[in-house]
Amino acid sequence: SQQGEEDPQALSIQEGENATMNCSYKTSINNLQWYRQNSGRGLVHLILIRSNEREKHSGRLRVTLDTSKKSSSLLITASRAADTASYFCATENTGTASKLTFGTGTRLQVTL
Amino acid sequence: SQTIHQWPATLVQPVGSPLSLECTVEGTSNPNLYWYRQAAGRGLQLLFYSIGIDQISSEVPQNLSASRPQDRQFILSSKKLLLSDSGFYLCAWSLTVGRGGYTFGSGTRLTVV
């Protein structure tokens, strides 16, 4: 079953703009992760944020986590055409260690 | 360094035929291994996961089975494929829970005709 729901389902921006994607989940988590998938390819791990963390940065990526609202956001700053991909959040849920449950994804299109 | 190999990249199979997809991991020991399926334009559905040889958990009842004959080998099988088995199959591995993310293979696009 799907744990996370990403919002929006699709996002189109121009190069240089920031892109924000949101993820909501339903159960208690150990950590939340974001992945990127280029069309027809495997997923690439971007960043992991633990349940006791509120914000994390990696290069142009900024992830926030609000466990009280069961939500997370991924911000990509100064987007590039190469950032065009689908982005998925995934949760490792408390009590179901070793398994990730993925959301439905946000399709990001960055145009020149 | 660790690598994951998944093959074939694409596969077209007739309904009722058998299936065997293989995934191997190199450069690590005792990984957790996973099979996911992704329907077109959708998220990933966990099919099977394994925390050790011959320790396999099935997440959803279906027409598929999984085996782990060796520590770093994970096989997805079916005796008779259905049209609904079409999709993009992804193998992944991870180590210590909560320490890092999964590493995914490049996927197999299966079309059952």
Side-chain angles (χ1 to χ4, degrees):
Chain A
S1 62
Q2 300 295 331
Q3 158 78 321
E5 295 291 333
E6 278 94 333
D7 169 51
Q9 290 187 337
L11 180 62
S12 182
I13 60 173
Q14 291 191 319
E15 203 171 47
E17 295 180 334
N18 295 341
T20 300
M21 289 161 269
N22 303 295
C23 168
S24 61
Y25 57 92
K26 297 176 183 175
T27 63
S28 296
I29 64 172
N30 292 329
N31 63 73
L32 184 144
Q33 306 177 27
W34 284 90
Y35 288 79
R36 166 199 169 116
Q37 183 182 34
N38 284 27
S39 181
R41 307 290 296 274
L43 279 73
V44 175
H45 179 253
L46 296 177
I47 196 166
L48 179 153
I49 186 165
R50 293 185 174 80
S51 60
N52 61 352
E53 298 176 310
R54 292 297 167 258
E55 187 171 312
K56 206 161 184 180
H57 297 256
S58 177
R60 293 184 296 113
L61 304 180
R62 173 177 169 253
V63 170
T64 61
L65 178 64
D66 187 336
T67 53
S68 67
K69 296 181 179 179
K70 291 186 167 58
S71 67
S72 173
S73 67
L74 171 67
L75 169 67
I76 304 175
T77 60
S79 63
R80 305 165 182 169
D83 293 328
T84 295
S86 291
Y87 292 82
F88 294 88
C89 70
T91 55
E92 183 188 306
N93 304 328
T94 304
T96 60
S98 305
K99 295 193 297 182
L100 283 182
T101 304
F102 283 80
T104 51
T106 293
R107 173 70 186 169
L108 174 66
Q109 178 75 42
V110 182
T111 56
L112 297 172
Chain B
S1 62
Q2 301 95 343
T3 56
I4 180 169
H5 301 280
Q6 185 181 343
W7 68 93
T10 60
L11 192 59
V12 179
Q13 291 284 103
V15 169
S17 64
L19 173 73
S20 180
L21 301 181
E22 188 164 342
C23 173
T24 59
V25 179
E26 295 178 358
T28 186
S29 295
N30 198 30
N32 297 327
L33 295 172
Y34 310 86
W35 278 110
Y36 282 87
R37 177 170 60 199
Q38 184 178 30
R42 301 290 300 278
L44 278 70
Q45 179 186 36
L46 179 62
L47 302 177
F48 300 94
Y49 73 98
S50 172
I51 61 173
I53 292 177
D54 294 330
Q55 297 180 67
I56 297 169
S57 297
S58 174
E59 287 296 293
V60 293
Q62 58 203 319
N63 186 40
L64 302 168
S65 62
S67 60
R68 185 170 177 174
Q70 300 179 42
D71 179 47
R72 289 170 288 181
Q73 183 185 31
F74 206 23
I75 297 172
L76 183 69
S77 303
S78 174
K79 293 181 179 178
K80 289 185 178 181
L81 284 168
L82 306 172
L83 286 174
S84 57
D85 292 323
S86 294
F88 191 48
Y89 289 83
L90 289 155
C91 178
W93 73 272
S94 70
L95 284 179
T96 309
V97 168
R99 286 284 185 91
Y102 287 11
T103 299
F104 280 83
S106 53
T108 295
R109 175 78 56 193
L110 171 66
T111 303
V112 183
V113 296

